[in-house]
Amino acid sequence: MIATSSDLSIMVRRCLLTFKPFRIFVVGIGFFSLCFLMTSLGGQLSAKRPGDSPFTVRAEVLGGQESRGVLRKISDMLEVIMKRMDTLSKLGNTTDTHRLDELSSALDRIQPIGLVERIQAIAQNMSDMAVRVEQILQRSMASNRGRDGTLGQCEIPKDPRYPDCPSKMDWMRARWTSDPCYAFYGVDGSDCSFLIYLSEVEWFCPPLAWRNQTATPTLKPPPKRQAVFQSDIGTLLEQVGTGKESLSFMKRRIRRLAAQWASAARRLDDKLRNLWREQKRILVHVGFLTEESGDVFSPKVLKGGPLGEMVQWADILTVLHVLGHNLKISFSLKELHGFLGVPPGRGSCPLTGPLPFDLIYTDYHGLQQMKQHMGLSLRKHKCHIRVIDTFGTEPAYNHEEYATLHGYRTNWGYWNLHGQQYMTMFPHTPDNSFMGFVAEELNETERLNIQRNKVNNMAVVYGKEASMWKVQGKEKFLAILHRYMEIHGTVYYETQRPPEVPAFVKNHGLLPQQELQQLLRKAKLFIGFGFPYEGPAPLEAIANGCIFLQPKFNPPHSSLNHNFFRGKPTSRKVSSQHPYAEQYIGRPHVITIDFNNSEEFDATIREIMRINVEPFLPYEYTCEGMLERVHAYIQNQDFCSPQAQFPPVNLSRTWLGSPPSPFILLPNSSFLTWVSNGSSYTSWPPLSALRLLASLEGQSCVKACQSAGLICEPALYRFINIKEAFSALDFQCEGLESEMNHLFPAFSAEHAECGLQQDPLLFSCAGSSAKYQRLCPCRDYRIGQVALCRDCL
């Protein structure tokens, strides 16, 4: 017997009356869709006129082919609804079908039986879900009553100190099931659980008076331990693990340099006179080698791709291990989750409790992964982070609000870190910290052998990928070089596809590190094509007794005129392929010329043939130099302790002298420094290193300090961001303003106005403007170690 349209309509109305309003809300679209389908089904099966609708079906031909097709479509639609409702139906396992008896009775009369069973199953699931929702609500209400006998305690508190609490409550009501981490922290769908979460796990709502706030134990920080230099690399190699060629490359490098690291550690220990050093708990998360970031580097290890990043990371792991710190290493998100204690889910919830690490070294990929999986706690713990950043990040790009408003927003940067939390491969950006890497040192026997075995007419080309040889005009200068020297290359190639290099180039293919070193020890010249920028290979060649010849860029390459730098968080202008080698090493080891000038190129090659150089390696790129530098950072850099703007009030009576000033002129010098009693102020580098000067109009503080033989030191900006600094430099301020500007503090001669920096995150050595003379905090530096001042150890 077929149910009529009126029967099903009555049944639907009774269904709607039976369910309470909150059940209808939870069941939602699925329930109304079911009722609509049942009503439509009744209308179709009881229709008498075939022309009423394209979907009508005569009762007497219900078993025909057309009707079976219609029923199959309806069955499929119900199947979809059933699958979508299945997850919600699992909230409860109780049975409560007495409210749908009439519906079930009517459905018994519908044919075919398979369709009826589907409808019954969906109805049963809906009933189970409704019962479960009622249980949750009743339990929540009972819990509220049990706490203090009132229901008002779980109302949203009105506290002006927590303006986001109401909106966050609304969000939780709508989205608390979007991530399993909320249930992990006890959220069950009730307002009380939302308030507890938002006040105790996150910080958007005020503490709840009826909660026992002393229930959460106060965890004491672990006792401080002494760091002891260690020379055994066995445990480090185990932590690096296996499974990728990139990891194998890093382990080979760690093994090869192990003896040099051990010897350097002994020398530094003697220099520090067994100084007590605190052992830090350090996490190293190498984000760019995780599968989640794509790991584009591992396949390049065997194909000649740039390996500078892996060289640097291998050395970072080694220096932290040799310095004696408690090290954990992560190459995957799973390992990162385990080390940080991230709650299960998609990363919407923050970490609770103290961070299990004092320092976290990662890269931009790792920083993004940590943001996704640490939630709001990244903001709380980001002062512990150090970002390994090859090319540097300037403060104007790092400050999210400022970058967005002033056109400095790029794909990188905008993390609102302290500028010195970014750590670079070369000391090209004093706004950041110089991390570096190491090149292998030679013993006396090796140095003598190199001197005896140098081949005067042998050149090696810098470029392991065939694409590096596709430089415009390279054929011209290579032809000139070929007149004087035998040219060797180390370009990767597959047997069936030899690289496109000139026929007169002797290509050795991709060489293992030791064989490449042997080649460099014989060669007289190492020549660059202009790319890659700032890699480790030129330093390795110079350390093996080669002269490095590189092209000068005119105009300099930057994000304004070169695709490689476009989108990177820096405005730095690169004057040559390797600016560090040009500036800090220079002739005779490094020669920088215009490769487009054939006469100059020819004359330079003939000059190189006549001169001899000894192997040279800057101290800061030795194992001891890197150990010394990283030790100083770890023991002295602290970005977690808030630093008040200094001084809090510009009061002249604070200072001595006439006129009162915290700055005095150094004897026999044009530099201003801090008064001697200023050493009582806590600072690293110490205030004794400060040298105050003003830039020229249109000059950055980087250039201003360099021209005076000094280094710009952003950590000392807070001591010169005062009005007394302007008067000490004889600037007459008719107006004094404070604003967010990465060029401030600075003086505008046009308007006789002095500008102070409003946001410490924007203190920057980089940047210039023709309108301003900038105030620059320069410092001295240790010979061979520009990252450290003379009194910084």
mmCIF file of all heavy atoms in Angstrom, residues 123-144:
data_model
loop_
_atom_site.group_PDB
_atom_site.id
_atom_site.type_symbol
_atom_site.label_atom_id
_atom_site.label_comp_id
_atom_site.label_asym_id
_atom_site.label_seq_id
_atom_site.Cartn_x
_atom_site.Cartn_y
_atom_site.Cartn_z
ATOM 1 N N ALA A 123 16.332 8.387 9.897
ATOM 2 C CA ALA A 123 15.485 8.877 10.977
ATOM 3 C C ALA A 123 16.010 8.443 12.332
ATOM 4 O O ALA A 123 16.014 9.209 13.296
ATOM 5 C CB ALA A 123 14.045 8.381 10.767
ATOM 6 N N GLN A 124 16.479 7.181 12.396
ATOM 7 C CA GLN A 124 17.033 6.677 13.648
ATOM 8 C C GLN A 124 18.279 7.480 14.039
ATOM 9 O O GLN A 124 18.465 7.876 15.192
ATOM 10 C CB GLN A 124 17.409 5.196 13.495
ATOM 11 C CG GLN A 124 18.029 4.569 14.759
ATOM 12 C CD GLN A 124 17.039 4.487 15.888
ATOM 13 O OE1 GLN A 124 15.919 4.030 15.695
ATOM 14 N NE2 GLN A 124 17.420 4.944 17.064
ATOM 15 N N ASN A 125 19.136 7.736 13.055
ATOM 16 C CA ASN A 125 20.350 8.502 13.332
ATOM 17 C C ASN A 125 20.021 9.903 13.829
ATOM 18 O O ASN A 125 20.647 10.428 14.752
ATOM 19 C CB ASN A 125 21.219 8.613 12.067
ATOM 20 C CG ASN A 125 21.843 7.282 11.692
ATOM 21 O OD1 ASN A 125 21.932 6.388 12.526
ATOM 22 N ND2 ASN A 125 22.258 7.145 10.442
ATOM 23 N N MET A 126 19.011 10.521 13.217
ATOM 24 C CA MET A 126 18.612 11.864 13.639
ATOM 25 C C MET A 126 18.087 11.859 15.060
ATOM 26 O O MET A 126 18.394 12.742 15.872
ATOM 27 C CB MET A 126 17.552 12.417 12.688
ATOM 28 C CG MET A 126 18.098 12.757 11.297
ATOM 29 S SD MET A 126 16.779 12.937 10.103
ATOM 30 C CE MET A 126 15.770 14.128 10.927
ATOM 31 N N SER A 127 17.316 10.855 15.392
ATOM 32 C CA SER A 127 16.774 10.762 16.744
ATOM 33 C C SER A 127 17.898 10.580 17.761
ATOM 34 O O SER A 127 17.923 11.218 18.810
ATOM 35 C CB SER A 127 15.776 9.604 16.825
ATOM 36 O OG SER A 127 15.308 9.447 18.148
ATOM 37 N N ASP A 128 18.863 9.692 17.431
ATOM 38 C CA ASP A 128 19.991 9.464 18.331
ATOM 39 C C ASP A 128 20.766 10.750 18.567
ATOM 40 O O ASP A 128 21.169 11.076 19.695
ATOM 41 C CB ASP A 128 20.929 8.401 17.745
ATOM 42 C CG ASP A 128 20.284 7.022 17.730
ATOM 43 O OD1 ASP A 128 19.241 6.855 18.406
ATOM 44 O OD2 ASP A 128 20.828 6.126 17.056
ATOM 45 N N MET A 129 20.982 11.503 17.483
ATOM 46 C CA MET A 129 21.734 12.731 17.607
ATOM 47 C C MET A 129 20.993 13.742 18.479
ATOM 48 O O MET A 129 21.588 14.432 19.314
ATOM 49 C CB MET A 129 22.012 13.333 16.224
ATOM 50 C CG MET A 129 22.909 14.566 16.274
ATOM 51 S SD MET A 129 23.098 15.311 14.674
ATOM 52 C CE MET A 129 21.426 15.875 14.429
ATOM 53 N N ALA A 130 19.705 13.874 18.285
ATOM 54 C CA ALA A 130 18.917 14.813 19.076
ATOM 55 C C ALA A 130 18.974 14.465 20.560
ATOM 56 O O ALA A 130 19.109 15.337 21.408
ATOM 57 C CB ALA A 130 17.474 14.826 18.586
ATOM 58 N N VAL A 131 18.888 13.177 20.866
ATOM 59 C CA VAL A 131 18.964 12.748 22.266
ATOM 60 C C VAL A 131 20.325 13.108 22.852
ATOM 61 O O VAL A 131 20.439 13.589 23.983
ATOM 62 C CB VAL A 131 18.701 11.228 22.372
ATOM 63 C CG1 VAL A 131 19.005 10.729 23.788
ATOM 64 C CG2 VAL A 131 17.256 10.916 22.015
ATOM 65 N N ARG A 132 21.358 12.869 22.046
ATOM 66 C CA ARG A 132 22.715 13.174 22.529
ATOM 67 C C ARG A 132 22.874 14.668 22.816
ATOM 68 O O ARG A 132 23.465 15.063 23.833
ATOM 69 C CB ARG A 132 23.737 12.715 21.475
ATOM 70 C CG ARG A 132 25.192 13.050 21.818
ATOM 71 C CD ARG A 132 25.612 12.422 23.111
ATOM 72 N NE ARG A 132 27.023 12.609 23.375
ATOM 73 C CZ ARG A 132 27.579 12.498 24.559
ATOM 74 N NH1 ARG A 132 26.830 12.187 25.621
ATOM 75 N NH2 ARG A 132 28.873 12.684 24.715
ATOM 76 N N VAL A 133 22.372 15.540 21.931
ATOM 77 C CA VAL A 133 22.462 16.980 22.140
ATOM 78 C C VAL A 133 21.738 17.373 23.422
ATOM 79 O O VAL A 133 22.198 18.198 24.205
ATOM 80 C CB VAL A 133 21.891 17.740 20.931
ATOM 81 C CG1 VAL A 133 21.781 19.229 21.228
ATOM 82 C CG2 VAL A 133 22.773 17.520 19.718
ATOM 83 N N GLU A 134 20.547 16.745 23.657
ATOM 84 C CA GLU A 134 19.810 17.050 24.881
ATOM 85 C C GLU A 134 20.608 16.639 26.109
ATOM 86 O O GLU A 134 20.636 17.346 27.118
ATOM 87 C CB GLU A 134 18.467 16.326 24.860
ATOM 88 C CG GLU A 134 17.567 16.724 26.033
ATOM 89 C CD GLU A 134 16.177 16.107 25.923
ATOM 90 O OE1 GLU A 134 16.077 14.967 25.440
ATOM 91 O OE2 GLU A 134 15.220 16.764 26.314
ATOM 92 N N GLN A 135 21.318 15.498 26.034
ATOM 93 C CA GLN A 135 22.137 15.054 27.163
ATOM 94 C C GLN A 135 23.261 16.047 27.458
ATOM 95 O O GLN A 135 23.550 16.354 28.616
ATOM 96 C CB GLN A 135 22.708 13.658 26.872
ATOM 97 C CG GLN A 135 21.679 12.552 26.865
ATOM 98 C CD GLN A 135 22.275 11.242 26.423
ATOM 99 O OE1 GLN A 135 23.362 11.201 25.843
ATOM 100 N NE2 GLN A 135 21.568 10.146 26.676
ATOM 101 N N ILE A 136 23.912 16.550 26.393
ATOM 102 C CA ILE A 136 24.995 17.518 26.582
ATOM 103 C C ILE A 136 24.476 18.759 27.281
ATOM 104 O O ILE A 136 25.073 19.272 28.228
ATOM 105 C CB ILE A 136 25.640 17.878 25.231
ATOM 106 C CG1 ILE A 136 26.410 16.676 24.671
ATOM 107 C CG2 ILE A 136 26.581 19.077 25.368
ATOM 108 C CD1 ILE A 136 26.944 16.897 23.262
ATOM 109 N N LEU A 137 23.331 19.279 26.813
ATOM 110 C CA LEU A 137 22.775 20.487 27.394
ATOM 111 C C LEU A 137 22.396 20.272 28.858
ATOM 112 O O LEU A 137 22.673 21.090 29.724
ATOM 113 C CB LEU A 137 21.558 20.950 26.588
ATOM 114 C CG LEU A 137 20.903 22.247 27.054
ATOM 115 C CD1 LEU A 137 21.892 23.404 27.004
ATOM 116 C CD2 LEU A 137 19.666 22.555 26.227
ATOM 117 N N GLN A 138 21.751 19.110 29.147
ATOM 118 C CA GLN A 138 21.355 18.827 30.527
ATOM 119 C C GLN A 138 22.574 18.701 31.439
ATOM 120 O O GLN A 138 22.565 19.189 32.568
ATOM 121 C CB GLN A 138 20.518 17.543 30.570
ATOM 122 C CG GLN A 138 19.123 17.712 29.958
ATOM 123 C CD GLN A 138 18.365 16.404 29.889
ATOM 124 O OE1 GLN A 138 18.955 15.322 30.074
ATOM 125 N NE2 GLN A 138 17.068 16.468 29.611
ATOM 126 N N ARG A 139 23.634 18.041 30.920
ATOM 127 C CA ARG A 139 24.835 17.892 31.741
ATOM 128 C C ARG A 139 25.488 19.247 32.024
ATOM 129 O O ARG A 139 25.971 19.519 33.113
ATOM 130 C CB ARG A 139 25.837 16.975 31.050
ATOM 131 C CG ARG A 139 27.045 16.666 31.929
ATOM 132 C CD ARG A 139 27.963 15.620 31.315
ATOM 133 N NE ARG A 139 28.629 16.123 30.137
ATOM 134 C CZ ARG A 139 28.424 15.682 28.909
ATOM 135 N NH1 ARG A 139 27.537 14.707 28.701
ATOM 136 N NH2 ARG A 139 29.062 16.186 27.874
ATOM 137 N N SER A 140 25.515 20.109 30.995
ATOM 138 C CA SER A 140 26.093 21.436 31.169
ATOM 139 C C SER A 140 25.309 22.244 32.200
ATOM 140 O O SER A 140 25.884 22.890 33.067
ATOM 141 C CB SER A 140 26.120 22.166 29.822
ATOM 142 O OG SER A 140 26.539 23.486 29.997
ATOM 143 N N MET A 141 23.960 22.176 32.115
ATOM 144 C CA MET A 141 23.137 22.922 33.068
ATOM 145 C C MET A 141 23.328 22.384 34.474
ATOM 146 O O MET A 141 23.419 23.144 35.444
ATOM 147 C CB MET A 141 21.671 22.837 32.653
ATOM 148 C CG MET A 141 21.364 23.576 31.337
ATOM 149 S SD MET A 141 19.705 23.253 30.706
ATOM 150 C CE MET A 141 18.741 24.008 31.992
ATOM 151 N N ALA A 142 23.397 21.077 34.602
ATOM 152 C CA ALA A 142 23.591 20.487 35.929
ATOM 153 C C ALA A 142 24.948 20.874 36.497
ATOM 154 O O ALA A 142 25.095 21.155 37.681
ATOM 155 C CB ALA A 142 23.461 18.957 35.841
ATOM 156 N N SER A 143 25.956 20.894 35.614
ATOM 157 C CA SER A 143 27.297 21.272 36.063
ATOM 158 C C SER A 143 27.311 22.702 36.560
ATOM 159 O O SER A 143 27.922 23.019 37.584
ATOM 160 C CB SER A 143 28.294 21.096 34.913
ATOM 161 O OG SER A 143 29.559 21.533 35.303
ATOM 162 N N ASN A 144 26.625 23.592 35.862
ATOM 163 C CA ASN A 144 26.560 24.991 36.275
ATOM 164 C C ASN A 144 25.897 25.119 37.639
ATOM 165 O O ASN A 144 26.355 25.854 38.514
ATOM 166 C CB ASN A 144 25.796 25.821 35.250
ATOM 167 C CG ASN A 144 26.618 26.088 34.009
ATOM 168 O OD1 ASN A 144 27.817 25.855 34.008
ATOM 169 N ND2 ASN A 144 25.966 26.564 32.959
#
